């Protein structure tokens, strides 16, 4: 992956046509990935909406406490992690290595905390009898299917992001990754955050009792 | 640039050089190789199917060894017919029509045509091939699991595909492997599309402005944008299907189904949801198959007409318009599906509108043939043949785009004829043109023209004998996906099927001339020069085959439009893109 | 080579077109069967319009291609290419105009045909018939003397005892006189309203002579109405891949006169 990033940064002018967006290839590819991933999430959310409209017996099981409260906490944590990510990008751009490393670690930790809270939430729901194929309240079984698959897909992105951030943080400190790699990771992380801003209202708030 | 780009030294070990290679040229050849394996397999499956359709009690020697349950006494069972049909469709659509014209030729020539030393992300590129290869192995594994391959067709309509073993043999393990294979395939295509987009936008050499990119590069670029969005929908659809099959969810399965006398445990899902998700991918997929072929043909034609095509900008706009419209028409596959009949009208209009850019492109090709002196080679013959089959396949679109007529023709052989012509045969003609044109560049040897022309004539006449009669069968109301025609209405049509079968056997056999030519030329063909066709684009400005970094450490500078043929006042009748001479516009 | 290409292409075009035109070969009819429905002639008319328009495009463009390739074959070495009069412009304009007009007409007229068949409600006097599809047979249900259909219970479906619909006559009065048969018998010239549903996977209801085609989707009750205008016996076939017996899944549609139909229904009621 590194070969073109270097090309794009150095020695680009004069020998090659300018990239129409004036950004390194890694970033461009990440933006493309984000677009494609957004379509994937849209497809799953579309499926959720389609099935929900078709289910007259849809369950709305969530109560303000604990589920929504927990959700607000998770949202707050994820939003904060976007801020720390911004700080990390600023720091690495300015060349402040240890600060950049610190902010990256903070972002990864917040992400891990989000994932942990989410898993606790899942555990509680599973204890209550929710499954992919089962609704303890007797309503549409799609609730469990939609809830676990949508939040699961998002959780997969968070966990993947946390791992990537950890690798990049360590790599950045050792010099294996540069500021552009951090920025690219940042685009991904903000995207994961943005998706949550859709998932939270659609999957949580719209299912309050 | 060249120093910076060449962090990777040329690998020397066999494995790094030919197996896990990061070189886009090797990866391109790997895709083409995989495509050839898949196309031979798919064609043999179609032979078996055609034989069964012509003579449904015919014993095919050896078939029982292949599948004891599927062909007891060497006679195919109806369910085995459906399994073969499913595998034929899946192999052809995914592993041939997507892999060869797009991933195969695109990988090999896109970087060279824009003057780049490699793809933007070589390692990701390698991964993309090996993920595709994994998907292929998973699909082939379906032949060897209990129950055999799935029988729900390449469209895998739920609930047949979602409820498991009860729905029939092949709906157990086979169908799960199918869904898994397609999901893996989607991942590979996404990786590939990212790479294509980044390479086209970022790695163009000096002077290679977007307007100077060859048609083929444009087509691969537009195709990768389509693929980026289309496969992103099929991937979650396949995952949801796998969940329905293995985790007990009911996304695509409504309640109260009684299958094989068993009341199914699922409730509340929607079979139409699968169709919406599938066709939202499925229709753009048609263009993923055909746009690269259009690009390749438009790239090759000028070299043999010795003139630029009419309206190059218009042609590129047409490709982009087709790509854009492809996302608004998926519902035309669902006119009789039970969705709101009002939406049929909404989907019908943009479908008909697509015929406008398609017609413009066709007229531009035909108009370009006018007044030219054609050099008849295998490559140019296949290009001309492409135009003809593209017209034949496109025309039937007028019928199928209208819901009122589609109600009669839906799911008949008319549809089979339509999509085989327009996306199957047309894309395959593009591939043949590509191979005859580019093989000298790829392996450094010329192909045998006489064998190639024999191959062309058999193929060209053959495909018309196979697919034209299918239109008539469709008009007569001959339903597709039938293992045999047993009833009073369809039985009289069997002679037509027998004719088609014989044509398919002969045309298929003629493809072995091509395979022989390919292998023979690879080792015994006369050595190719750097630019055997006197063509202009960048791939002809390097040795045949190109060195590891494509241009031997040179950084090319592009001075010209891509197709300056028939130029007066130039030394030759053509001007290479890299040539610095001044050319007067004609 | 160019001459050969031109000749072969034009022969292919003419032969292909000729088969469309003559379409009857020693008992093999390669054309639509007789139209036996009230709306069918409009579908056929729309199909013919499209056939003329697109057939003309097909023949013209193939012959043009063949002709140009023929011409291009014996030009001398050093030939300076000629540009099509006007260049790309006439191509673009003619494509937009010709195809544009063609598709405008087709979509206006065609949408109207479609809307009249599929977007109109059935006539109030239409005869309601309930259709259940399953692997690999169709069953039809008439409401019987009370004019009411019994409720469906998936768990009661039992092919062995002939309870194909899952009726519950013990508890459900409306179900007791429902007439269940394996072929669709209808009176001629009377509107029919079918309600299509499936017990397992997607099937399809296709009667060529009625120019009617509708998928039968499990979980949905799909209404479909038509009027048959000719007596006779026609095939109803499944066109949506439904499993290994798909190719044999069919039933018969018998269109009878009103008197014959009434008698038939009475006999059925008496028999069940």
């Amino acid at each position: 992956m590194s070969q073109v990033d270097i090309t794009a940064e150095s020695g680009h002018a004069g020998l090659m046509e300018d990239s129409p967006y004036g950004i390194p290839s890694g970033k461009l590819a990440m933006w493309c990935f984000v677009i494609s991933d957004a379509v994937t999430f849209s497809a799953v959310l579309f499926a959720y909406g389609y099935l929900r409209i078709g289910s007259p017996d849809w369950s709305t099981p969530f109560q303000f406490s604990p589920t929504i409260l927990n959700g607000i906490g998770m949202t707050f944590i994820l939003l904060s992690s976007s801020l720390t990510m911004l700080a990390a990008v600023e720091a690495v751009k300015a060349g402040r290595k240890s600060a950049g490393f610190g902010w990256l670690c903070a972002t990864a930790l917040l992400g891990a905390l989000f994932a942990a809270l989410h898993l606790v939430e899942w555990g509680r729901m599973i204890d209550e009898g929710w499954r992919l194929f089962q609704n303890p309240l007797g309503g549409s079984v799609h609730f469990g299917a939609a809830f676990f698959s949508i939040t699961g897909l998002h959780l997969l992105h968070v966990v993947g992001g946390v791992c990537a951030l950890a690798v990049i943080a360590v790599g950045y400190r050792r010099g294996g990754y540069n500021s552009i790699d951090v920025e690219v990771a940042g685009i991904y992380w903000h995207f994961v955050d943005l998706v949550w801003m859709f998932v939270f209202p659609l999957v949580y708030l719209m299912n309050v009792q | 640039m060249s120093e910076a780009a060449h962090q990777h030294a040329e690998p020397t070990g066999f494995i790094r050089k030919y197996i896990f290679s990061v070189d886009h040229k090797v990866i391109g050849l790997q895709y083409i190789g995989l495509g050839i394996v898949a196309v031979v397999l798919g064609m043999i499956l179609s032979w078996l199917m055609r034989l069964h359709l012509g003579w449904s009690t015919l014993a095919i020697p050896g078939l029982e060894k292949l599948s004891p349950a599927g062909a007891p006494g060497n006679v195919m069972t109806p369910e085995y017919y459906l399994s073969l049909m499913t595998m034929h469709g899946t192999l052809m659509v995914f592993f041939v029509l997507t892999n060869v014209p797009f991933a195969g030729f695109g990988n090999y020539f896109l970087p060279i045509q824009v003057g780049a030393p490699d793809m933007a992300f070589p390692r990701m590129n390698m991964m993309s091939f090996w993920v595709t290869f994994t998907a292929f192995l998973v699909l082939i594994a379906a032949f060897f699991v209990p129950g055999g391959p799935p029988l729900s067709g390449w469209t895998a309509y739920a609930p047949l595909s979602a409820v498991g073993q009860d729905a029939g043999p092949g709906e157990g393990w086979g169908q799960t492997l199918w869904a898994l294979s397609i999901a893996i395939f989607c991942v590979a295509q996404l990786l590939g599309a990212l790479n294509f987009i980044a390479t086209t936008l970022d790695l163009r050499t000096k002077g290679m402005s977007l307007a100077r990119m060859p048609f083929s590069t444009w087509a691969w670029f537009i195709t990768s944008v389509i693929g980026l969005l289309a496969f992103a929908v099929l991937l979650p659809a396949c995952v949801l299907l796998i969940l329905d099959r293995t985790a007990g969810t009911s996304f695509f399965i409504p309640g109260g189904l009684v299958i094989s006398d068993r009341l199914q445990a699922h409730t509340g899902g929607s079979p139409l949801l699968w169709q919406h998700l599938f066709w939202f991918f499925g229709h753009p997929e048609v263009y993923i198959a055909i746009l690269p072929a259009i690009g390749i043909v438009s790239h090759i034609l000028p070299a043999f007409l010795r003139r630029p095509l009419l309206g190059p900008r218009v042609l590129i706009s047409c490709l982009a318009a087709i790509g854009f419209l492809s996302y608004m028409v998926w519902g035309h596959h669902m006119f009789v599906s039970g969705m709101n009949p009002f939406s049929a009208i909404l989907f019908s209009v943009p479908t008909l509108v697509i015929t406008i850019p398609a017609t413009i492109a066709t007229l531009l090709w035909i108009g370009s043939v006018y007044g030219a002196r054609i050099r008849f080679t295998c490559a140019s013959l296949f290009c001309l043949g492409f135009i003809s089959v593209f017209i034949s396949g496109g025309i039937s679109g007028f019928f199928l785009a209208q819901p009122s007529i589609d109600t009669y023709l839906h799911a008949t052989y008319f549809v089979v004829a339509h999509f085989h012509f327009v996306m199957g045969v047309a894309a395959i003609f593009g591939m043949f043109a590509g191979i005859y044109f580019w093989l000298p560049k790829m392996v450094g040897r010329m192909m045998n023209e006489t064998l190639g022309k024999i191959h062309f004539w058999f193929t060209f006449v053959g495909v018309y004998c196979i697919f034209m009669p299918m239109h008539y069968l469709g008009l007569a109301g001959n339903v597709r996906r039938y293992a045999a025609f047993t009833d009073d209405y369809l039985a009289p049509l069997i002679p037509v099927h027998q004719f088609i079968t014989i044509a398919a056997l002969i045309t298929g056999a003629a493809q072995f001339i091509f395979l022989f030519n390919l292998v023979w030329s690879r080792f015994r063909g006369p050595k190719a020069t750097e630019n055997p066709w006197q063509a202009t684009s960048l791939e002809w400005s390097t040795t045949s085959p190109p060195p590891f970094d494509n241009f031997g450490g040179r950084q090319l500078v592009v001075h010209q439009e891509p197709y300056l043929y028939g130029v007066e006042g130039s030394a030759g009748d053509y001007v290479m893109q890299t040539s610095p001479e001044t050319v007067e516009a004609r | 080579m160019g001459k050969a290409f031109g000749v072969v292409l034009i022969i292919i075009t003419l032969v292909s077109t000729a088969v469309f035109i003559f379409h009857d070969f020693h008992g093999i009819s390669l054309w639509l069967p007789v139209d036996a429905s009230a709306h069918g002639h409009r579908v056929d008319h729309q199909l013919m319009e499209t056939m003329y328009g697109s057939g003309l495009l097909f023949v013209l463009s193939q012959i043009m291609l063949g002709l140009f390739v023929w011409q291009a074959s014996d030009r001398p070495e050093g030939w300076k290419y000629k540009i099509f009069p006007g260049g790309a412009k006439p191509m673009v304009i003619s494509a937009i105009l010709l195809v544009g007009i063609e598709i405008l007409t087709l979509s206006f007229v065609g949408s109207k045909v479609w809307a009249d068949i599929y977007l109109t409600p059935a006539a109030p006097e239409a005869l309601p018939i309930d259709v259940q599809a399953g692997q690999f047979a169709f069953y039809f249900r008439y409401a019987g003397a009370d004019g009411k259909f019994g409720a469906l219970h998936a768990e009661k479906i039992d092919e062995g005892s002939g309870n194909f619909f899952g009726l519950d006559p013990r508890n459900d009065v409306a179900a007791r006189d429902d007439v269940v048969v394996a072929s669709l018998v209808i009176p001629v010239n009377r509107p029919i309203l079918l309600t299509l549903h499936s017990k397992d996977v997607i099937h399809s209801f296709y009667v060529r002579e009625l120019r009617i085609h509708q998928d039968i989707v499990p979980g949905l009750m799909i209404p479909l109405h038509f009027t048959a205008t000719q007596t006779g016996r026609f095939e109803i076939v499944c066109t949506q891949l439904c499993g290994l017996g798909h190719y044999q899944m069919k039933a018969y549609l018998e269109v009878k006169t009103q008197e014959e139909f009434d008698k038939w229904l009475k006999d059925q009621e008496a028999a069940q």
Side-chain angles (χ1 to χ4, degrees):
Chain A
M1 169 163 316
S2 53
Q3 111 174 14
V4 173
D5 298 346
I6 293 167
T7 322
E9 269 183 303
S10 60
H12 194 208
L15 287 166
M16 300 183 70
E17 283 289 300
D18 293 332
S19 166
Y21 300 108
I23 51 171
S25 306
K27 247 188 194 176
L28 177 73
M30 182 50 82
W31 278 114
C32 290
F33 172 76
V34 161
I35 293 170
S36 153
D37 215 21
V39 173
T40 300
F41 272 104
S42 315
V44 183
L45 289 172
F46 169 79
Y48 161 56
Y50 193 98
L51 292 174
R52 181 169 174 159
I53 290 169
S55 306
D57 55 346
W58 191 261
S59 307
T60 49
F62 293 142
Q63 285 168 330
F64 182 70
S65 173
T67 313
I68 300 302
L69 216 54
N70 186 47
I72 292 173
M74 284 158 63
T75 310
F76 181 73
I77 289 167
L78 205 58
L79 281 176
S80 317
S81 78
S82 259
L83 280 180
T84 55
M85 189 73 228
L86 276 179
V89 170
E90 284 304 309
V92 297
K93 268 189 181 165
R96 290 181 279 129
K97 256 197 149 159
S98 59
F101 175 72
W103 285 119
L104 278 174
C105 288
T107 312
L109 277 177
L110 285 171
L113 187 61
F114 173 91
L117 281 177
H118 210 152
L119 285 175
V120 170
E121 169 78 34
W122 272 33
R124 192 163 51 224
M125 291 193 60
I126 290 169
D127 281 346
E128 284 171 13
W130 292 99
R131 299 286 186 279
L132 274 168
F133 50 85
Q134 184 178 314
N135 181 338
L137 305 178
S140 167
V141 293
H142 293 313
F143 184 87
F147 178 83
F148 286 114
S149 52
I150 294 171
T151 57
L153 182 62
H154 183 257
L155 193 60
L156 206 66
H157 280 76
V158 172
V159 171
V162 167
C163 297
L165 282 173
V167 170
I168 284 177
V170 173
Y172 172 68
R173 190 159 75 162
R174 288 191 185 155
Y177 290 107
N178 57 26
S179 68
I180 289 177
D181 297 320
V182 175
E183 269 189 74
V184 170
I187 295 172
Y188 173 78
W189 192 254
H190 295 312
F191 167 70
V192 172
D193 195 350
L194 182 70
V195 169
W196 180 252
M197 293 296 122
F198 283 87
V199 171
F200 185 59
L202 290 174
V203 177
Y204 282 82
L205 298 184
M206 280 179 68
N207 289 311
V208 176
Q209 252 176 10
Chain B
M1 165 73 204
S2 49
E3 305 83 21
H6 273 267
Q7 288 198 324
H8 299 288
E10 182 171 357
T12 44
F14 178 80
I15 289 185
R16 297 292 301 177
K17 205 166 172 176
Y18 297 110
I19 312 287
F20 294 107
S21 172
V22 294
D23 182 356
H24 69 101
K25 298 186 286 297
V26 177
I27 296 170
L29 289 175
Q30 286 172 332
Y31 269 116
I32 295 173
L34 180 63
I36 289 177
V37 172
V39 82
V40 170
L41 206 58
M43 193 183 78
I44 292 172
L45 295 183
S46 74
W47 273 357
L48 295 175
M49 287 154 60
R50 281 306 330 169
L51 279 171
H52 189 69
L53 288 178
W55 295 271
S56 57
T57 52
L58 181 75
I60 300 166
L63 202 59
E64 189 172 3
K65 286 214 178 63
L66 210 65
S67 168
N74 288 330
V75 180
M76 203 183 288
T77 58
E79 56 271 31
Y80 198 59
Y81 171 86
L82 293 175
S83 294
L84 297 185
M85 181 202 77
T86 304
M87 293 302 266
H88 167 79
T90 311
L91 280 170
M92 290 302 199
V93 170
F94 291 99
F95 294 93
V96 180
L97 298 179
T98 311
N99 261 357
V100 180
F102 176 55
F105 287 126
N107 253 306
Y108 200 106
F109 287 105
L110 187 136
I112 303 185
Q113 286 187 343
V114 299
D118 202 328
M119 280 286 194
F121 310 105
R123 248 172 284 162
M124 198 161 93
N125 203 16
M126 172 181 86
M127 222 154 73
S128 149
F129 172 75
W130 286 105
V131 174
T132 308
F133 188 72
T134 312
F136 180 73
L137 290 185
V138 172
L139 184 71
I140 295 303
F143 275 110
F144 305 102
V145 291
L151 47 71
S152 61
W154 84 279
T155 52
Y157 271 17
L160 183 64
S161 63
V163 289
Q165 195 78 57
D166 281 355
E171 289 309 295
W173 269 99
Q175 185 73 53
T176 308
L177 286 176
W178 182 92
L180 189 64
S181 163
I182 301 307
I184 298 172
F185 187 85
C186 292
V187 174
Q189 288 302 310
L190 291 173
L191 294 178
L194 291 179
N195 227 333
F196 274 48
I197 294 172
T199 308
T200 317
L201 290 180
D202 285 357
L203 291 191
R204 282 168 293 125
T205 192
K206 192 75 204 158
M208 180 57 82
S209 61
L210 289 173
R212 282 180 180 165
M213 291 197 316
F215 294 123
S216 42
T217 305
W218 267 108
W220 289 317
F221 176 64
I222 294 170
T223 306
S224 40
V225 176
I226 300 176
L228 190 70
L229 306 181
F231 285 105
V233 172
L234 186 61
L235 174 60
C238 283
V239 173
L240 296 187
L241 183 62
I242 294 172
L243 285 180
D244 269 7
R245 299 183 50 77
T246 58
T249 58
S250 311
F251 289 105
F252 308 124
I253 313 172
L257 298 193
V258 182
I259 300 177
S260 299
D261 292 330
R262 270 191 290 277
L263 186 64
Q264 304 290 317
H266 301 270
T267 57
S270 165
L272 290 188
L273 176 61
W274 167 262
Q275 295 182 26
H276 279 297
L277 293 175
F278 183 84
W279 287 118
F280 185 84
F281 147 81
H283 200 80
E285 164 65 25
V286 173
Y287 297 105
I288 291 173
I290 192 63
L291 283 188
I294 290 180
I296 289 169
V297 165
S298 308
H299 177 71
I300 297 175
L301 260 184
F304 296 102
L305 300 178
R306 305 313 292 171
R307 53 163 297 177
L309 289 191
L310 288 173
R313 299 272 166 92
V314 181
L315 187 58
I316 291 169
S317 320
C318 286
L319 296 190
I322 291 173
F324 176 72
L325 286 168
S326 72
Y327 281 99
M328 307 156 116
V329 298
W330 78 89
H332 69 221
H333 297 268
M334 298 169 61
F335 285 153
V336 304
S337 71
M339 69 171 179
N340 186 334
F342 182 69
S343 49
I345 295 170
L346 291 183
F347 283 118
S348 160
V349 174
T351 307
L352 284 166
V353 170
I354 285 190
T355 53
I356 292 182
T359 311
I360 294 176
T362 312
L363 287 182
L364 289 176
W365 293 321
I366 296 178
S368 305
V369 173
Y370 171 86
R373 176 175 185 272
I374 304 179
R375 293 185 182 169
F376 288 99
T377 61
C378 303
S380 62
L381 282 171
F382 271 105
C383 288
L384 297 170
F386 169 91
I387 301 174
S388 170
V389 293
F390 187 72
I391 295 170
S392 303
I395 288 288
S396 44
F398 278 111
F399 295 83
L400 299 172
Q402 300 176 63
S404 52
I405 305 179
D406 183 68
T407 41
Y408 180 76
L409 295 172
H410 187 86
T412 65
Y413 269 82
F414 196 88
V415 180
V416 179
H418 168 68
F419 71 74
H420 272 94
F421 257 135
V422 82
M423 85 183 261
V425 176
I428 297 248
F429 270 46
M431 280 186 239
F432 281 136
I435 288 182
Y436 283 112
F437 184 67
W438 277 322
L439 197 87
K441 181 54 67 182
M442 296 194 283
V443 305
R445 305 247 183 193
M446 303 298 287
M447 285 187 78
N448 185 301
E449 283 285 318
T450 313
L451 283 179
K453 279 171 184 158
I454 296 172
H455 169 228
F456 169 78
W457 287 112
F458 270 107
T459 311
F460 185 60
V461 178
V463 294
Y464 270 104
C465 290
I466 298 170
F467 296 112
M468 214 33 157
M470 290 190 187
H471 290 102
Y472 315 133
L473 290 173
L475 278 177
N478 192 328
V479 182
R480 69 190 274 223
R481 292 177 161 178
Y482 271 22
F485 308 110
T486 51
D487 52 274
D488 302 341
Y489 185 86
L490 291 179
L493 297 173
I494 289 178
V496 184
H497 282 283
Q498 291 169 338
F499 172 81
I500 295 175
T501 301
I502 293 166
L505 290 174
I506 296 172
T507 314
Q511 305 315 306
F512 289 99
I513 302 175
F514 168 76
L515 282 182
F516 170 77
N517 192 355
L518 196 70
V519 175
W520 186 84
S521 305
R522 167 67 187 80
F523 296 104
R524 290 288 154 81
K527 284 253 189 299
T529 57
E530 195 170 291
N531 188 1
W533 312 118
Q534 300 176 297
T536 56
S537 49
L538 293 193
E539 72 261 34
W540 307 108
S541 295
T542 183
T543 52
S544 305
F548 177 69
D549 67 351
N550 291 347
F551 302 104
R554 290 174 300 150
Q555 179 69 31
L556 301 186
V557 180
V558 172
H559 299 278
Q560 313 289 354
E561 299 286 310
Y563 303 106
L564 291 177
Y565 295 101
V567 180
E568 287 169 50
S570 167
D573 78 327
Y574 66 107
V575 181
M576 307 279 292
Q577 280 194 284
T578 48
S579 161
E581 67 186 287
T582 348
V583 184
E584 278 172 46
R586 176 169 159 165
Chain C
M1 192 61 75
K3 281 187 180 148
F5 184 90
V7 170
V8 170
L9 183 56
I10 289 170
I11 290 176
I12 287 175
T13 309
L14 296 180
V15 171
S16 305
T17 316
V19 180
F20 275 112
I21 296 171
F22 296 108
H23 64 69
D24 253 320
F25 301 92
H26 304 291
I28 304 178
S29 167
L30 297 174
W31 197 251
L32 294 84
V34 59
D35 157 39
S37 71
H39 66 267
H41 67 280
R42 302 186 57 195
V43 173
D44 291 6
H45 181 77
Q46 180 73 4
L47 188 124
M48 282 318 291
E49 293 284 298
T50 312
M51 190 68 89
Y52 293 135
S54 55
L56 197 70
L57 277 179
F58 169 74
V59 173
L60 278 183
S61 50
Q62 298 280 18
I63 287 183
M64 225 160 73
L65 177 66
L67 221 57
F68 290 169
V69 174
W70 167 291
Q71 283 179 339
S73 62
D74 50 1
R75 290 184 165 137
E77 190 80 34
W79 168 266
K80 298 273 182 264
Y81 71 89
K82 288 188 292 190
I83 293 183
F84 193 84
K89 223 176 250 164
M91 305 289 171
V92 177
I93 293 172
S94 61
I96 291 178
L97 276 184
L98 282 176
V99 181
I101 291 170
E102 164 103 5
I103 64 176
L104 264 182
T105 335
L106 290 182
S107 44
F108 271 117
V109 183
S111 298
K112 191 145 181 357
V113 176
W114 169 259
D116 288 349
I117 304 170
Y118 284 88
L119 287 174
T120 48
E125 76 276 16
L127 172 70
I129 301 171
D130 195 35
V131 183
Q132 168 133 309
Q135 287 174 331
F136 301 97
F138 296 95
Y139 291 102
F140 307 92
R141 181 164 68 133
Y142 299 77
D146 63 352
K148 282 188 200 135
F149 287 110
L152 304 175
H153 306 277
E155 69 281 358
K156 294 226 183 312
I157 291 178
D158 183 6
E159 308 249 320
S161 71
N163 193 353
F164 304 108
F165 281 78
L167 301 179
D168 184 13
R170 192 165 302 164
N171 303 313
D172 183 0
V173 183
R176 286 183 197 157
D177 62 351
D178 286 4
V179 175
V180 175
V181 287
S183 46
L184 178 58
V185 181
I186 59 168
V188 72
N189 290 328
R190 175 162 172 206
I192 307 294
L193 173 62
L194 301 181
T195 305
L196 306 165
H197 48 89
S198 162
K199 78 172 176 69
D200 40 40
V201 298
I202 306 181
H203 300 278
S204 201
F205 181 92
Y206 179 42
V207 184
R208 303 174 185 94
E209 290 83 356
L210 293 182
R211 312 290 190 260
I212 273 270
H213 201 158
Q214 176 62 56
D215 276 6
I216 309 176
V217 184
L220 296 180
M221 297 283 201
I222 300 176
L224 184 68
H225 63 89
F226 61 86
T227 306
T229 53
Q230 277 188 31
T231 56
R233 193 162 185 261
F234 310 114
E235 260 182 23
I236 302 166
V237 292
C238 176
T239 62
Q240 189 59 264
L241 179 51
C242 58
L244 57 98
H246 173 51
Y247 74 111
Q248 285 178 319
M249 179 163 169
K250 63 163 177 280
Y252 283 98
L253 166 72
E254 289 175 47
V255 186
K256 297 176 184 282
T257 60
Q258 184 72 44
E259 300 79 60
E260 281 173 345
F261 172 76
D262 291 340
K263 182 176 176 305
W264 172 85
L265 192 61
K266 207 163 278 169
D267 291 350
Q268 293 299 322
E269 278 167 8
Q272 293 198 358

